[in-house]
Amino acid sequence: MNGTETFVYTKYVLHRTKFSILLLLQVPAIILSLLIFIFFAKNPTIRQAPHNRALIILLIVNFMQLSLTLPLNLHFYSQGYVSPATPTYCTWWTFIEFTFYVTSEYLMATISVQRHMLVFNSHVLNIRWMRITFHHVPLLFCLTYPMLFYFFVIILYPCDGSQWDYTNNLCGFADCYLVSNKVLGTLDWCINNGLPMLVNAFANLLLVVRVVHQKRRQHRPVTWKQQRRMTIQLFCISSLYLMAWSPCLIVGVVQILGNPTFLAEVQTDYFLDMIYIVCLFLPWICVGLLPELQKWMRVLFGCGPRRNIIGTITQIGTKM
């Protein structure tokens, strides 16, 4: 084979491999997500716990990524090209994908900050105006801001549609504001992607330090058991985000700072696809960190302890 044929064949193998891996991980992730939703629906006390409310919203956004946007990526990798190859399709595809990306990131950063309040100052949530201001409003912002931002910079941004690359995933990430407006593209990359990850990392590191310091100062093992669980839960989920996003964010920063070709092919073929790790593995982490959910699933699938039914047996006989 000549160079062109080798390149095409390599791309074909890479796309088929990605398709197989993503599909293999998507199906159990969707099933687990549905089971988690059923569990929360059947257990209102657990569902209404303050530290679970934001997690449920995050899981809903994650489920929408699994069921709405990931199939579009699977379709591309199965075909090897964007279909339908139209500017309208690419515009709405990137709008939906980017919106879910940033919504998920902002939710994770907000949860990381709010967890400090839940662990150390949970009494403030008993005050209605503080609960609305510091809990509900930030979550509402996470759900509305990304949608509004990308509606203006993707849907309403003036563009002729000739910049799209129909041979690459997400049409080559070639939205007009990214291609023609470097200032807006840099702000989007730094504020909408980099900033939530920095807040996420710093908030989790600070939370661990505060928990260890507070536990040494106040010896209350019963009280700190729940707080320790919340801290471990947040740390594990945040680590998943940092592991998935850090490679592409670091490469993106280097490219923005003056070396636009730095690891460009690796970024496109591998690092950007690592973002899917979040939506594919988040349900698994939630199952592993919720003991009540594990017990419910064991009973559901007949793996839990069976109850012994004790009753009175009445023997009826006839006298001879």
Side-chain angles (χ1 to χ4, degrees), residues 121-166:
N121 304 103
S122 59
H123 61 277
V124 301
L125 294 179
N126 297 326
I127 305 173
R128 186 172 182 271
W129 72 269
M130 295 190 71
R131 183 171 63 251
I132 294 175
T133 303
F134 297 107
H135 187 73
H136 297 334
V137 172
L139 295 177
L140 181 61
F141 172 81
C142 295
L143 296 174
T144 56
Y145 163 71
M147 185 183 303
L148 293 174
F149 176 84
Y150 287 113
F151 181 79
F152 282 102
V153 301
I154 294 180
I155 304 298
L156 299 183
Y157 196 94
C159 192
D160 60 5
S162 61
Q163 82 286 354
W164 297 112
D165 181 3
Y166 300 118

Side-chain angles (χ1 to χ4, degrees), residues 5 38 46 57 72 97 103 121 131 134 140 150 160 168 202 216 265 267 276 300:
E5 292 175 338
I38 295 173
I46 299 176
I57 297 176
L72 300 179
E97 190 97 12
T103 300
N121 304 103
R131 183 171 63 251
F134 297 107
L140 181 61
Y150 287 113
D160 60 5
N168 277 313
F202 179 75
R216 290 179 178 177
E265 188 174 346
Q267 177 86 317
Y276 302 129
L300 179 66

Side-chain angles (χ1 to χ4, degrees), residues 47-61 99 102-115 117-118 125 130-148 234 241:
R47 182 181 69 245
Q48 295 170 5
H51 61 277
N52 284 332
R53 292 172 187 169
L55 178 61
I56 293 173
I57 297 176
L58 180 63
L59 285 169
I60 292 174
V61 173
T99 299
V102 176
T103 300
S104 181
E105 287 183 89
Y106 266 78
L107 280 172
M108 190 65 252
T110 301
I111 292 172
S112 299
V113 174
Q114 289 182 343
R115 195 56 58 98
M117 179 177 59
L118 293 172
L125 294 179
M130 295 190 71
R131 183 171 63 251
I132 294 175
T133 303
F134 297 107
H135 187 73
H136 297 334
V137 172
L139 295 177
L140 181 61
F141 172 81
C142 295
L143 296 174
T144 56
Y145 163 71
M147 185 183 303
L148 293 174
L234 177 66
Y241 276 78

Side-chain angles (χ1 to χ4, degrees), residues 8-146:
V8 171
Y9 179 74
T10 302
K11 280 290 185 180
Y12 170 80
V13 172
L14 183 62
H15 288 169
R16 300 303 296 181
T17 302
K18 289 181 180 180
F19 172 81
S20 301
I21 294 174
L22 290 176
L23 184 62
L24 186 65
L25 295 174
Q26 180 202 28
V27 174
I30 290 178
I31 295 173
L32 273 181
S33 298
L34 293 174
L35 290 174
I36 293 172
F37 294 146
I38 295 173
F39 167 76
F40 280 123
K42 289 180 173 291
N43 295 273
T45 303
I46 299 176
R47 182 181 69 245
Q48 295 170 5
H51 61 277
N52 284 332
R53 292 172 187 169
L55 178 61
I56 293 173
I57 297 176
L58 180 63
L59 285 169
I60 292 174
V61 173
N62 192 78
F63 179 75
M64 295 178 72
Q65 286 182 277
L66 284 171
S67 57
L68 295 179
T69 63
L70 192 57
L72 300 179
N73 297 282
L74 286 170
H75 178 67
F76 168 78
Y77 287 130
S78 67
Q79 299 294 320
Y81 54 88
V82 177
S83 177
T86 63
T88 301
Y89 179 79
C90 290
T91 298
W92 284 100
W93 183 11
T94 54
F95 167 73
I96 297 172
E97 190 97 12
F98 290 4
T99 299
F100 281 134
Y101 278 163
V102 176
T103 300
S104 181
E105 287 183 89
Y106 266 78
L107 280 172
M108 190 65 252
T110 301
I111 292 172
S112 299
V113 174
Q114 289 182 343
R115 195 56 58 98
H116 285 261
M117 179 177 59
L118 293 172
V119 171
F120 299 101
N121 304 103
S122 59
H123 61 277
V124 301
L125 294 179
N126 297 326
I127 305 173
R128 186 172 182 271
W129 72 269
M130 295 190 71
R131 183 171 63 251
I132 294 175
T133 303
F134 297 107
H135 187 73
H136 297 334
V137 172
L139 295 177
L140 181 61
F141 172 81
C142 295
L143 296 174
T144 56
Y145 163 71

